[in-house]
């Protein structure tokens, strides 16, 4: 079996969750003996499309004429585009048009969670089979590594015993960036770090203002990857992710794989795999996040971390790849 895993503009999405998901698809395939095509000009059995613009749509139509079986991966929904970029309300009708066109035309759709599956199936005109498959996580790569931790501490001048609360993502209102900043004000002795970046031109005025006026204990170092970000996960007291809307939230899996206590907003996407007070803490508002963080700071969280790790382990890329292979085989049987 040979598969083309396709994004239309890999450089533009390389720092996003979608970009990481695509790289993980490739890794999952290779770990399960699935050959990957390097170009749409090659011969292959399945095209696994991950983006939704005109280029992706044209490729889908072209490949179908060639007799290639196509899968559309639904990383995005109408709901998770809201409250993102500056002027999102103006862009949304065009963005939604592209999504609708891809999802309506698709015969076979993959999406990360039962929640996103329900959303996509509710969109008018979608007739495809929609299958749930986690984006997954390479659990072994997040195993505790003291060298990574030391690199992180050195980078941010973190002293032994210093408490750190972290999060990561684009500077979207939807991600709860301004909530993260407000929560940091209540813990002046703790270092809060938000990893991620978005150009000021694309960031909403409200979020730019919140970042500019953040307290001194709240750091925005930009996009950082590799050993340092893994060291941050492994050192942090908690991963605080106040996002209002996700299709899965790969960063939550990264935190769980790192045995970092996870605090999230109580939103439908995390059901049924995340359970409050079992493998994470769920909150409805900033007061709840403050209470949850106080709990993590003053209680033994070993059970929370171990249970959370098991959630990540169940989504290891090796197992995700086995499921992906099954879905590819199922797609090949369909007209």
């Amino acid at each position: 079996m040979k598969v083309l895993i396709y994004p239309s503009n890999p450089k533009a999405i390389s720092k996003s969750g979608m970009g990481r998901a695509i790289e993980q698809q490739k890794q999952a395939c290779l770990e399960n003996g699935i050959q990957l095509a390097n170009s749409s000009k090659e011969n292959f059995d399945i095209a696994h499309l991950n983006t939704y613009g005109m280029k992706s749509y044209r490729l889908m139509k072209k490949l179908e004429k060639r007799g290639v079986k196509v899968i559309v991966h639904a990383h995005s929904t109408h709901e998770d585009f809201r409250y993102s970029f500056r002027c999102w309300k103006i862009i949304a009708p065009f963005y939604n048009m592209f999504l609708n066109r891809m999802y309506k035309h698709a015969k076979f759709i993959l999406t990360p969670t039962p929640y996103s599956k329900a959303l996509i199936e509710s969109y008018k005109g979608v007739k495809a089979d929609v299958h749930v498959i986690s984006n997954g996580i390479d659990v072994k790569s997040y195993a505790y590594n003291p060298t990574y931790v030391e690199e992180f501490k050195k980078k941010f001048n973190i002293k032994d015993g210093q408490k750190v609360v972290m999060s990561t993502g684009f500077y979207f209102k939807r991600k709860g960036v301004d909530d993260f900043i407000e929560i940091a004000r209540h813990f002046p002795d703790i270092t809060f770090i938000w990893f991620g970046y978005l150009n000021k031109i694309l960031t909403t005025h409200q979020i730019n203002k919140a970042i500019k006026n953040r307290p001194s204990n709240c750091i925005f170092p930009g996009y950082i990857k590799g050993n340092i970000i893994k060291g941050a996960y492994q050192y942090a007291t908690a991963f605080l992710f106040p996002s209002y809307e996700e299709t899965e939230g790969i960063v939550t899996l990264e935190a769980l794989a790192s045995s970092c206590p996870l605090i999230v907003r109580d939103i439908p996407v995390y059901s049924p795999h995340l359970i409050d007070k079992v493998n994470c803490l769920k909150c409805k508002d900033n007061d709840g996040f403050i209470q949850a963080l106080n709990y993590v700071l003053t209680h033994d969280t070993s059970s929370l971390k171990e249970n959370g790790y098991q959630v990540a382990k169940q989504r290891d890329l090796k197992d995700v790849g086995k499921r992906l292979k099954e879905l590819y085989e199922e797609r090949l049987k369909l007209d």
Side-chain angles (χ1 to χ4, degrees), residues 46-107:
I46 292 175
H48 187 160
L49 307 185
N50 285 272
T51 45
Y52 318 108
M54 183 66 73
K55 192 174 179 181
S56 296
Y57 182 74
R58 286 174 177 167
L59 179 62
M60 175 168 59
K61 301 280 282 184
K62 179 180 178 181
L63 292 175
E64 286 177 339
K65 287 181 180 179
R66 273 173 47 184
V68 175
K69 300 297 176 69
V70 176
I71 290 174
V72 172
H73 205 116
H75 297 284
S76 300
T77 64
H78 301 326
E79 288 75 10
D80 72 5
F81 187 72
R82 297 169 183 166
Y83 303 102
S84 52
F85 301 96
R86 185 190 293 268
C87 302
W88 70 269
K89 289 184 179 180
I90 297 172
I91 302 168
F94 303 97
Y95 180 82
N96 292 342
M97 179 187 70
F98 286 125
L99 282 189
N100 287 340
R101 185 172 55 184
M102 289 292 289
Y103 295 166
K104 284 181 182 180
H105 186 84
K107 295 181 177 67

Side-chain angles (χ1 to χ4, degrees), residues 188-206:
D189 296 329
I190 295 175
T191 300
F192 283 68
I193 306 177
W194 185 287
F195 295 96
Y197 177 75
L198 187 66
N199 191 293
K200 282 187 176 183
I201 296 173
L202 299 176
T203 306
T204 65
H205 172 73
Q206 180 182 358

